Amino acid sequence: MPDMAHVGSGKVRELYALDDERLLLVATDRISTFDVVLPTEIPDKGRVLTGLSAFWFTRTRGLCPNHLLAVRPDGRSTECRRLQMLPIECVVRGYLSGSAWKDYRATREICGHRLPEGLRESERLPEPIFTPATKATSGHDENITRAQAGALVGAARLAEVERLALALYRFAASYALVRGIIVADTKFEFGLDGDGRLVLADEALTPDSSRFWPADAYTPGGPQPSFDKQFVRDFCEQTSWNKTYPGPELSPTVVAGTRARYVEAFERLTGIAFEAYLADPRVVVA
Ligand code: Q0Z
């Protein structure tokens, strides 16, 4: 991206300024596992994630305004409204996994939500819960209570993001479940526009910002396979890699299998052939 102001790098995404009011969000084909970006790319992964995010932004416009302005013809970059981002990660969980399972086992609580006794790993929660986290600039996001989150964004603002995040999760999780995908949890980011209105931003409901599980394999009582990254994780577990930088090169078989899983997630969720998206990415926002 010569000639464009680079304003940020994520593990697998890049952010550029188009002008004072607009950003360009670019999803690369990089993949991370166990928090390490691997040296091998997954062809079209960035396009799958960009297409999915744009699909969800379009489908949830009635629940909450969002930052999406346009999907570029390359299918991997989107033009977005530049917002004042809130300093919290808005996580919603419908199932007990990851740090929530760890916290539950230690205290039976997660972010101030007292949960029933006897829940198993990956079990569906009685109700989805809002579990905010801090945005770590390095290292891992840290779960915080709603009181701590309220101190960061204001109590009224927090109540509004909690209501919106839960509504977005409920909509997407039920939509996905019918199509064979469990959205176990997901992370939203919100910003404020020039008029102080809340706007959904960043990426939304992608496999990188969520845990997607194949519904047909769901068996609570232990960890679940990842819809998208399971081949990569299995491959990495079979090597002697110690899960620190640098990660291993992936075999062509693992690359092809993983690409197919991303494409499958796209097609199941959107009902759109991925080939049609490649031909004209605007199909997801129509
Ligand atoms: C998103 C991030 C990425 C690195 C800032 N609409 C917006 N307005 C203002 N800021 C952002 C957005 Cl999306 C914003 N991030 C996360 C994305 C690379 C960091 F692609 N940071």
Side-chain angles (χ1 to χ4, degrees):
M1 282 295 173
D3 262 49
M4 230 191 283
H6 184 237
V7 297
S9 275
K11 280 210 287 275
V12 303
R13 297 180 303 154
E14 302 293 341
L15 197 55
Y16 300 87
L18 289 169
D19 54 45
D20 289 351
E21 271 143 35
R22 297 178 310 141
L23 296 173
L24 190 73
L25 195 55
V26 183
T28 71
D29 291 338
R30 298 195 292 265
I31 186 168
S32 75
T33 190
F34 305 111
D35 277 327
V36 174
V37 177
L38 301 180
T40 313
E41 296 192 330
I42 306 299
D44 292 324
K45 171 176 176 282
R47 291 192 175 92
V48 165
L49 269 61
T50 296
L52 269 178
S53 214
F55 171 81
W56 289 119
F57 281 138
T58 303
R59 289 304 175 108
T60 61
R61 234 173 17 202
L63 293 173
C64 178
N66 62 66
H67 76 162
L68 180 65
L69 294 171
V71 185
R72 291 230 167 149
D74 66 11
R76 69 168 69 253
S77 42
T78 55
E79 299 173 11
C80 315
R81 283 196 277 161
R82 196 170 195 163
L83 305 166
Q84 194 72 51
M85 298 300 288
L86 298 187
I88 56 169
E89 312 272 18
C90 297
V91 179
V92 180
R93 302 170 184 276
Y95 295 75
L96 196 50
S97 180
S99 67
W101 169 241
K102 274 206 187 115
D103 292 353
Y104 173 79
R105 283 224 297 194
T107 67
R108 219 213 306 161
E109 274 189 22
I110 164 79
C111 299
H113 297 274
R114 184 109 218 152
L115 295 178
E117 250 181 300
L119 295 177
R120 296 166 294 168
E121 183 174 8
S122 307
E123 192 151 335
R124 188 152 80 94
L125 296 170
E127 295 291 336
I129 54 173
F130 177 68
T131 60
T134 57
K135 288 187 189 180
T137 38
S138 65
H140 257 140
D141 298 340
E142 201 183 323
N143 290 329
I144 54 177
T145 64
R146 280 172 295 167
Q148 289 171 305
L152 290 171
V153 302
R157 191 63 84 186
L158 185 73
E160 198 184 357
V161 298
E162 173 165 6
R163 178 181 61 78
L164 286 173
L166 286 168
L168 289 163
Y169 173 80
R170 284 180 191 280
F171 170 82
S174 66
Y175 192 101
L177 190 55
V178 178
R179 290 153 181 90
I181 294 175
I182 292 174
V183 181
D185 50 46
T186 196
K187 179 193 81 181
F188 298 109
E189 298 209 27
F190 291 91
L192 302 177
D193 69 13
D195 300 319
R197 275 188 278 264
L198 265 181
V199 178
L200 180 61
D202 208 66
E203 62 181 327
L205 296 156
T206 70
D208 277 8
S209 65
S210 320
R211 276 194 183 86
F212 284 5
W213 296 336
D216 61 2
Y218 177 58
T219 317
Q224 303 303 296
S226 161
F227 192 93
D228 45 301
K229 287 183 180 170
Q230 200 55 45
F231 294 150
V232 173
R233 293 195 184 141
D234 292 348
F235 175 86
C236 290
E237 298 282 16
Q238 285 159 25
T239 70
S240 57
W241 181 43
N242 66 357
K243 293 169 192 172
T244 64
Y245 178 86
E249 295 271 8
L250 301 175
S251 73
T253 315
V254 170
V255 170
T258 302
R259 181 185 181 280
R261 291 298 275 176
Y262 279 104
V263 170
E264 185 181 347
F266 176 94
E267 293 186 335
R268 278 209 211 179
L269 291 171
T270 66
I272 297 167
F274 188 60
E275 282 299 327
Y277 178 74
L278 294 179
D280 183 357
R282 289 172 300 186
V283 290
V284 292
V285 298

